Amino acid sequence: MALNIGSSDADTLRVWGTIMSFVRDLRVAIHSLMRTPGVAVAVILTLALGIGANAAIFTLVRGVLLKPLVNSDENRLIYIRQSAMGMGSDNTAFSVPEIEDLRTSVRTLSAFGDFSAIPFTMIGLGEAREIQGGVVGGSYFNVMGLHPVLGRLIGPQDDGPNANGVVVLTYRFWSTSLNKDPSVIGKTLRLGSIGDRFATIIGVLEPCVPYPQDTEIIANVVTSPHHLSATMVTGRVHRMTELFGRLAPGTTLEQARAELRTVYGAMTKAHPEAYPHQADFQIGAKLLRDELTADARTVLLVLLAASGLVFVIACCNVANLILARTVRREGELAVRAALGASKGALRRMLLAESLLLCGAGAAVGIMSAQRWLPSWPATRLVSRCAHSI
């Protein structure tokens, strides 16, 4: 009696037959590779080296060069640098009067954010400890496009000499030293630098690139008596503040650079005593991402090229090993053909063996990259260059 099989059923049977045939090819390939374990191990380790190196390097490249920053609208966030190459300084920071002049005259930037690093003696969270702190104005976090994970950040309401002292904890300090304790919000600290001040913890900053300084806390200006002193407020040559800016809508980086140079030129002419000619004072600006990756980019590109070369060499060696093994198996393949194996069947068997070797090599390489990447010397080098990874 004839069986009526529809076209869909026939297609299903063909697919199922193909799958079962491939499974048989895999079994044959496993038994074949087990007869020559030395070659199989050599191929797998060679592929693992090439694939693992490339996986590790690409992880670094993605983390530093490709992964977006947490900062909101990062393509408008710039770092402003003052240099005096005649004095051998490529970053002399800014003084408060210089920042005020720029803030008053520059229109291509919608806002400026200032950051000064200063050590504190902190009392109030367990034992007294020496910490590195940052002192910022009320516009800093808005300019940087950062957000809190707990509480709030310093804002314009925290500016001025009569404001209450407030502190924001960095995420690293909060998580490692305070075990992510949410009850720290509202606690009062005593901060000692040049004189003591009290400050209240108001928030925890989200994880972000610690630039320009890795700190434990970030406080408002009133917490630092030095920042309220006449030397700091009126001293044009008292330069200790890093400066950031946010491009105004519709403004390009080149336009901002041109205006900064124009305003800066007027500043140097108005105060020649603060900008000696032989010091060659200049001003420049970069996108924050370019500033962060400037030192790491060259290192990463060299490592990426080297890993690509290692991968090409590994593939060539694997091809030679597989070719040599195939040549030695001419007799075996001839016997299989004489017993009725088609050319397609022989090709599928050889393909199955190659897939097994490549899959095993890739798995070992990726697992090795995940295991060794955190302790790899190149990771620490790039981390120091880019302040992230």
Side-chain angles (χ1 to χ4, degrees), residues 16-198:
W16 185 250
T18 302
I19 293 174
M20 294 304 297
S21 176
F22 185 67
V23 170
R24 287 193 298 271
D25 291 336
L26 288 177
R27 290 175 179 172
V28 173
I30 292 173
H31 290 300
S32 176
L33 292 173
M34 290 177 64
R35 290 198 297 269
T36 56
V39 174
V41 170
V43 170
I44 291 172
L45 292 181
T46 303
L47 282 174
L49 174 63
I51 294 173
N54 276 269
I57 293 299
F58 183 76
T59 300
L60 293 176
V61 170
R62 178 182 177 275
V64 177
L65 301 181
L66 302 179
K67 188 177 181 180
L69 300 175
V70 299
N71 307 70
S72 300
D73 206 6
E74 64 170 274
N75 61 335
R76 292 176 52 213
L77 180 57
I78 67 171
Y79 176 75
I80 305 170
R81 181 188 296 271
Q82 180 176 218
S83 62
M85 299 308 296
M87 299 168 56
S89 175
D90 65 349
N91 190 355
T92 61
F94 289 89
S95 64
V96 171
E98 290 172 332
I99 294 173
E100 291 303 320
D101 286 349
L102 293 173
R103 183 178 280 120
T104 301
S105 303
V106 175
R107 295 290 175 265
T108 51
L109 300 179
S110 59
F112 289 87
D114 55 282
F115 179 103
S116 305
I118 188 169
F120 285 110
T121 299
M122 184 177 71
I123 301 174
L125 292 176
E127 296 182 357
R129 67 182 88 191
E130 297 291 329
I131 62 168
Q132 186 66 38
V135 175
V136 302
S139 62
Y140 174 77
F141 288 112
N142 285 334
V143 170
M144 297 298 289
L146 296 173
H147 307 90
V149 294
L150 199 65
R152 70 173 182 90
L153 301 181
I154 296 169
Q157 69 273 27
D158 302 307
D159 275 339
N162 297 321
N164 294 321
V166 293
V167 162
V168 171
L169 306 180
T170 61
Y171 187 85
R172 179 185 60 83
F173 177 68
W174 179 61
S175 59
T176 58
S177 299
L178 303 177
N179 298 315
K180 297 184 178 181
D181 180 9
S183 67
V184 297
I185 302 298
K187 289 187 176 180
T188 300
L189 305 176
R190 190 172 78 184
L191 301 177
S193 54
I194 303 174
D196 288 350
R197 288 289 191 275
F198 288 93

